[in-house]
Amino acid sequence: MVAKIMVGKNMNGALSYNEIKVSEAKAALLHADGFLLSLEQLSFQDKLFVFSNRTELNDRAKSNCVHISINFDKKDALNKSDLLSITEKYLKQIGFNEQPYLIYEHYDAAHKHVHVVTTNIRSDGAQIPMYNLGRDKSMKACRTLEKEYGLVNATSKKQGEVESLKPILEKVIYGKSETKSAISNVVRAIIRDYKFTSLAEMNAVLKGFNVEAYRGEKGTKMFEKSGLTYHVLDKKGNHIGVPIKASSIYTKPTLKNMESIFLANKSKKILHKK
């Protein structure tokens, strides 16, 4: 069992990511906690309304959106009831059981996995501390639940096997799916899986999935202001469709943020070279 916690300040983006998966029949909403309507009655706006009301209680918070993915081994035989039970116990053990949350089962990988959308803003406006949450509570919860449910222990697996517990990444085909969501999926995945140290290296990977990060031509206002947009590429490698601003993607892969990642990757790259 492997859990990954992502934090940010774009609840609309995290919610949209999962809802688009549902609309494409690549996911299903399993459970909603802290919402007044039933699962079947909840609209996108109903879900966003509850989260927005909560996050507005603390306008000083640097992050208020928590997006968690929980992945299981291919050998773990789990039904929907098991997935829900394990996820709810996991949330309780990391201190999020009293928060409003949505649990989605995703079908875009060969193994069982769920996504949770929630917030770290409590009902009194205070924040749930996120610093070292993954190291101090999440990993402990995963090991405890592995024993309780007889799951495959992730720490006993080789790195290559753990790396396989990821959604299947598809090339972006213009018009096949919503552009912003498709680009966001690719960008997030390649940042997670590769250790590039420059925009050129990043684009070498992105182009394999029909996407390009573009700074604009030298001398333009966009270039001088360190702007960055993401484009879908056609079969000839040309930009097609409307570009997506980096700042509008909920993981915020702007040039400034990417340059910080490039710098951090310089030392990490040595370990991942093989």
Side-chain angles (χ1 to χ4, degrees):
M1 177 176 170
V2 178
K4 182 176 182 181
I5 302 173
M6 296 160 281
V7 296
K9 204 171 183 179
N10 190 345
M11 190 63 71
N12 184 68
L15 188 57
S16 294
Y17 170 80
N18 287 280
E19 290 293 315
I20 289 171
K21 290 283 187 180
V22 172
S23 69
E24 296 174 342
K26 294 180 180 178
L29 179 61
L30 283 185
H31 182 70
D33 200 279
F35 297 80
L36 297 176
L37 299 175
S38 67
L39 215 62
E40 296 75 20
Q41 293 175 310
L42 279 174
S43 68
F44 180 92
Q45 291 303 323
D46 293 329
K47 297 164 188 171
L48 187 60
F49 178 77
V50 169
F51 286 129
S52 296
N53 277 354
R54 179 60 67 89
T55 57
E56 286 172 2
L57 296 175
N58 189 331
D59 58 5
R60 302 179 308 279
K62 292 183 178 180
S63 62
N64 52 31
C65 172
V66 181
H67 190 179
I68 306 168
S69 65
I70 304 175
N71 300 269
F72 302 91
D73 190 87
K74 294 177 182 178
K75 296 178 182 178
D76 292 327
L78 302 169
N79 56 35
K80 292 185 185 298
S81 178
D82 295 328
L83 290 174
L84 182 56
S85 176
I86 292 169
T87 304
E88 289 185 320
K89 288 182 179 180
Y90 169 83
L91 290 172
K92 184 175 182 179
Q93 290 184 38
I94 67 169
F96 276 78
N97 55 305
E98 294 186 359
Q99 300 297 99
Y101 60 81
L102 300 168
I103 301 175
Y104 296 86
E105 180 182 4
H106 283 228
Y107 311 128
D108 56 351
H111 63 280
K112 294 279 187 180
H113 66 292
V114 298
H115 283 239
V116 180
V117 178
T118 184
T119 176
N120 61 320
I121 306 301
R122 294 191 174 105
S123 58
D124 62 358
Q127 283 183 273
I128 295 176
M130 299 302 296
Y131 183 70
N132 284 338
L133 180 69
R135 187 193 67 186
D136 297 340
K137 292 185 177 181
S138 179
M139 289 180 66
K140 183 179 178 181
C142 288
R143 302 295 81 79
T144 300
L145 290 166
E146 283 172 349
K147 292 179 181 179
E148 182 178 347
Y149 286 85
L151 306 174
V152 174
N153 188 313
T155 58
S156 67
K157 297 171 71 63
K158 295 179 181 178
Q159 183 62 28
E161 293 174 304
V162 174
E163 289 292 308
S164 70
L165 297 180
K166 294 170 180 174
I168 300 166
L169 190 58
E170 298 177 347
K171 288 186 177 184
V172 178
I173 307 299
Y174 183 71
K176 183 179 179 181
S177 58
E178 198 267 331
T179 301
K180 185 176 178 180
S181 173
I183 288 177
S184 178
N185 290 346
V186 167
V187 173
R188 188 177 70 170
I190 66 111
I191 290 173
R192 175 194 68 201
D193 295 343
Y194 293 84
K195 303 298 175 222
F196 35 75
T197 58
S198 68
L199 191 63
E201 288 182 8
M202 180 181 176
N203 271 327
V205 180
L206 281 175
K207 288 178 180 179
F209 298 97
N210 297 339
V211 176
E212 182 180 28
Y214 182 64
R215 281 199 61 184
E217 296 298 322
K218 288 186 178 181
T220 63
K221 190 174 182 180
M222 176 180 166
F223 187 92
E224 297 300 327
K225 289 186 173 292
S226 298
L228 191 68
T229 54
Y230 290 88
H231 299 251
V232 177
L233 303 178
D234 62 18
K235 292 181 180 180
K236 295 182 179 180
N238 299 314
H239 293 174
I240 184 172
V242 179
I244 304 299
K245 288 185 177 180
S247 58
S248 72
I249 298 174
Y250 84 93
T251 49
K252 303 293 180 186
T254 60
L255 185 61
K256 181 181 178 181
N257 289 337
M258 291 314 306
E259 286 177 339
S260 296
I261 292 174
F262 297 156
L263 184 62
N265 280 347
K266 285 186 177 180
S267 58
K268 295 178 183 179
K269 192 175 180 181
I270 298 171
L271 298 174
H272 289 78
K273 187 174 290 186
K274 185 176 180 180

